[in-house]
């Protein structure tokens, strides 16, 4: 090999070595960049999650706590469910949506304070305050799939015996002697009024911008419902409508109101979760909220709520024991919720 060849060979070796070093350096830089990106993403997710949690209030503490508790039960008793992963995924999605909504509302409110603007603030504030009603509906409908999560069989025989011990009759059967189309319509109307209590009370507090009062009544309801949901999971009751079918002379006959509620029950009825009565629990929690925050509304609601409680038995939806159970859990919701509302950060939204 002559000198020129040696020089060319050495030059090629040097070039190859340089390319190798450059390649190694590039790979190191690329790996470092990926690591930095991952760290940045983790940091961003952690920061946003912390901000979302700080935007939560007492209501979200209860809502997310219930989702966490029911999620643990789903994981532990997964063999009793047809689609445990699907249910767990839905639970996770619901929790994520709550956190995202709280975070977005807080961020929009912060920006509005700095830059002005009202339309977006009103939009997100509305959903931030009124989504609890959708959450309650979601949890109640989900109970239809969770009623046999822990206990495989129905426990109605125990409540049928309890009702007979308390009253000396089977109340849903005994009340049939007083049924007329007009009375049935009245009782079914009273039953439907349940859906208005929290809407009316919340609407009054929202209109008056009494944010502490508003989130207090939502928290009372959330605690009462959560206690009832957990009891229903461990003690499944399907209601007289199913367990005592055939004990009556016939279905309740009435006018347009009875027909309307029959349609609602046909498409929205949940088999199970009858004890304690969530209708009664939610009504009692709202009634306590009215007593504390709008006393005049309490006196207006009291006779309607009393009729609604009777209607749950008249309409064959609940046992008398369900009604008493709902009264207890609704009152517990008020007591525990009132205690939670005294905690720092219980009202986390801006609400200005």
């Amino acid at each position: 090999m002559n000198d020129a060849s040696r020089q060319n060979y050495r030059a090629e070796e040097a070039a190859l070595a340089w390319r190798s070093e450059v390649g190694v350096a590039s790979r190191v830089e690329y790996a470092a960049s990926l690591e930095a990106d991952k760290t940045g993403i983790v940091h961003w997710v952690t920061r946003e999650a912390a901000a979302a949690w700080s935007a939560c209030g007492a209501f979200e503490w209860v809502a997310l706590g219930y989702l966490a508790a029911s999620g643990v039960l789903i994981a532990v008793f997964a063999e009793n469910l047809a689609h445990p992963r699907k249910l767990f995924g839905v639970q996770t999605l619901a929790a994520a949506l709550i956190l995202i909504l709280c975070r977005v509302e807080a961020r929009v409110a912060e920006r509005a304070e700095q830059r002005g603007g009202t339309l977006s603030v009103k939009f997100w504030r509305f959903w931030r305050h009124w989504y609890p009603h959708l959450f309650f509906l979601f949890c109640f409908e989900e109970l239809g799939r969770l009623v046999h999560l822990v206990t495989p069989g129905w426990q109605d025989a125990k409540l049928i015996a309890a009702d007979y011990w308390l009253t000396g009759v089977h109340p849903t059967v005994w009340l049939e002697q007083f049924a007329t189309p007009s009375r049935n319509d009245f009782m079914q109307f009273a039953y439907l009024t349940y859906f208005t209590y929290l809407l009316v009370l919340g609407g009054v507090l929202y209109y008056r911008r009494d944010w502490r009062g508003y989130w207090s009544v939502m928290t009372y309801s959330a605690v009462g419902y959560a206690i009832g949901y957990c009891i229903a999971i461990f003690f499944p009751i399907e209601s007289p409508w199913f367990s005592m079918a055939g004990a009556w002379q016939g279905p309740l006959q009435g006018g347009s109101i009875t027909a309307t509620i029959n349609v609602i029950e046909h498409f929205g009825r949940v088999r199970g979760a009858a004890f304690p009565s969530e209708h009664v629990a939610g009504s009692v929690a709202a009634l306590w909220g009215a007593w504390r925050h709008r006393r005049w509304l309490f006196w207006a609601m009291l006779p309607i709520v009393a009729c609604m409680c009777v209607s749950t038995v008249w309409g064959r939806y609940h046992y008398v024991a369900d009604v008493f159970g709902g009264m207890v859990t609704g009152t517990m919701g008020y007591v525990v919720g009132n205690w939670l509302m005294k905690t720092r950060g219980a009202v986390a939204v801006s609400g200005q």
Side-chain angles (χ1 to χ4, degrees):
M1 182 180 294
N2 55 34
D3 292 338
S5 297
R6 290 193 185 94
Q7 290 177 358
N8 290 336
Y9 180 73
R10 290 171 183 168
E12 290 176 0
E13 282 188 332
L16 289 172
W18 180 80
R19 292 193 189 99
S20 178
E21 291 176 0
V22 170
V24 171
S26 298
R27 287 194 294 272
V28 171
E29 290 177 1
Y30 179 70
S33 177
L34 284 178
E35 189 64 29
D37 289 342
K38 291 179 181 178
T39 303
I41 292 173
V42 171
H43 177 71
W44 179 83
V45 170
T46 303
R47 186 184 69 236
E48 289 298 309
W53 177 252
S54 66
C56 293
F59 175 84
E60 283 77 31
W61 302 343
V62 178
L64 295 173
Y66 169 74
L67 290 175
S70 57
V72 170
L73 290 175
I74 290 172
V76 173
F77 298 97
E79 68 275 6
N80 295 335
L81 295 170
H83 305 286
R85 292 182 180 179
K86 182 179 179 180
L87 282 172
F88 191 80
V90 171
Q91 296 270 44
T92 303
L93 178 61
L97 289 175
I98 290 173
L99 290 171
I100 290 171
L101 179 58
C102 293
R103 175 57 176 149
V104 170
E105 191 276 340
R107 177 180 288 180
V108 170
E110 289 172 3
R111 290 180 177 176
E113 291 178 359
Q114 299 172 357
R115 307 174 187 176
T118 58
L119 184 59
S120 61
V121 172
K122 290 180 179 179
F123 175 82
W124 288 108
R125 182 194 298 158
F126 174 84
W127 285 109
R128 173 69 174 81
H129 282 74
W130 291 97
Y131 87 89
H133 300 274
L134 298 177
F135 178 75
F136 295 147
L137 181 61
F138 160 77
C139 291
F140 184 72
E141 290 297 324
E142 186 189 47
L143 276 180
R145 297 172 176 82
L146 299 180
V147 287
H148 292 309
L149 178 62
V150 178
T151 307
W154 297 111
Q155 305 297 310
D156 287 69
K158 297 176 182 178
L159 294 193
I160 292 173
D163 268 16
Y164 193 84
W165 177 79
L166 283 170
T167 64
V169 296
H170 295 296
T172 54
V173 178
W174 181 79
L175 285 171
E176 188 177 22
Q177 64 185 302
F178 304 105
T180 65
S182 59
R183 289 172 186 164
N184 292 340
D185 256 18
F186 173 78
M187 284 298 176
Q188 299 290 29
F189 173 77
Y191 187 73
L192 283 175
T193 61
Y194 155 77
F195 298 100
T196 67
Y197 304 149
L198 199 56
L199 288 171
V200 171
L201 177 57
V204 170
L205 296 170
Y206 186 85
Y207 177 76
R208 294 294 183 181
R209 292 176 174 265
D210 183 355
W211 309 120
R212 173 163 288 278
Y214 182 91
W215 285 110
S216 292
V217 299
M218 293 300 164
T219 303
Y220 305 156
S221 299
V223 175
Y225 282 136
I227 295 172
Y229 296 154
C230 291
I231 293 174
I233 291 174
F234 285 91
F235 189 63
I237 300 295
E238 61 177 346
S239 86
W241 182 276
F242 297 103
S243 65
M244 300 183 69
W248 308 286
Q249 295 180 8
L252 295 174
Q253 301 295 328
S256 58
I257 298 176
T258 299
T260 298
I261 202 167
N262 285 339
V263 171
I264 294 173
E265 290 293 325
H266 176 74
F267 290 101
R269 183 185 298 276
V270 172
R271 186 167 187 172
F275 180 84
S277 169
E278 298 299 347
H279 274 67
V280 175
S283 301
V284 170
L287 197 61
W288 278 114
W291 170 267
R292 184 173 182 84
H293 301 284
R294 289 294 184 275
R295 190 66 57 88
W296 64 269
L297 191 54
F298 167 84
W299 293 113
M301 290 171 58
L302 182 60
I304 304 174
V305 171
C307 289
M308 194 282 303
C309 290
V310 175
S311 75
T312 63
V313 181
W314 183 286
R316 305 163 182 174
Y317 308 119
H318 288 287
Y319 304 103
V320 171
D322 298 340
V323 176
F324 288 146
M327 290 178 178
V328 172
T329 53
T331 301
M332 290 176 64
Y334 169 71
V335 173
V336 177
N338 189 43
W339 171 76
L340 282 174
M341 290 305 299
K342 297 177 182 178
T343 307
R344 182 178 180 182
V347 183
V349 294
S350 58
Q352 300 300 318

